[in-house]
Amino acid sequence: MELGFQFVVGFCSVLSCCFLYKAIARYSKNKMLSIFILYANYYFYLENLMRQSLAMSIALYAILLYVENRKLMQFIMLVFFAMMFHTVAIS
């Protein structure tokens, strides 16, 4: 079975949005405003730089999770997962 380009773009978009939404849901005081700003200003930029934005959103979630829970192994696993998409996750 061959996965088409649209499937890969859709998968990366959904995964990126899930991690960003989880970070917004956990840390934002005004969730609706945060989501509006994300989609109004940043979402189209995310789609243009798909791999980099996916890695950055996973890394952001990993950092926020580490700051809150201090679980180093979970942080390292998420950063390695993000590095599979782009090396920007370690910078």
Side-chain angles (χ1 to χ4, degrees):
M1 181 171 87
E2 182 179 323
L3 298 177
F5 179 72
Q6 287 85 10
F7 176 79
V8 174
V9 169
F11 175 75
C12 288
S13 177
V14 167
L15 197 58
S16 179
C17 287
C18 285
F19 280 105
L20 286 171
Y21 177 75
K22 287 180 83 166
I24 287 172
R26 181 171 288 180
Y27 296 104
S28 177
K29 291 183 182 184
N30 191 345
K31 293 170 184 50
M32 291 304 292
L33 180 62
S34 298
I35 290 172
F36 174 75
I37 290 171
L38 172 70
Y39 286 114
N41 296 320
Y42 194 62
Y43 184 72
F44 296 112
Y45 177 74
L46 288 177
E47 292 307 310
N48 289 331
L49 301 168
M50 203 171 24
R51 289 184 315 126
Q52 183 178 2
S53 65
L54 180 59
M56 287 179 359
S57 63
I58 295 170
L60 170 69
Y61 183 71
I63 290 168
L64 293 174
L65 206 60
Y66 177 71
V67 167
E68 184 178 282
N69 297 331
R70 299 282 187 221
K71 294 183 180 177
L72 184 61
M73 189 52 103
Q74 189 176 19
F75 170 75
I76 291 172
M77 296 294 284
L78 280 171
V79 169
F80 278 131
F81 180 64
M83 284 174 40
M84 290 191 315
F85 294 100
H86 203 282
T87 57
V88 74
I90 60 172
S91 50

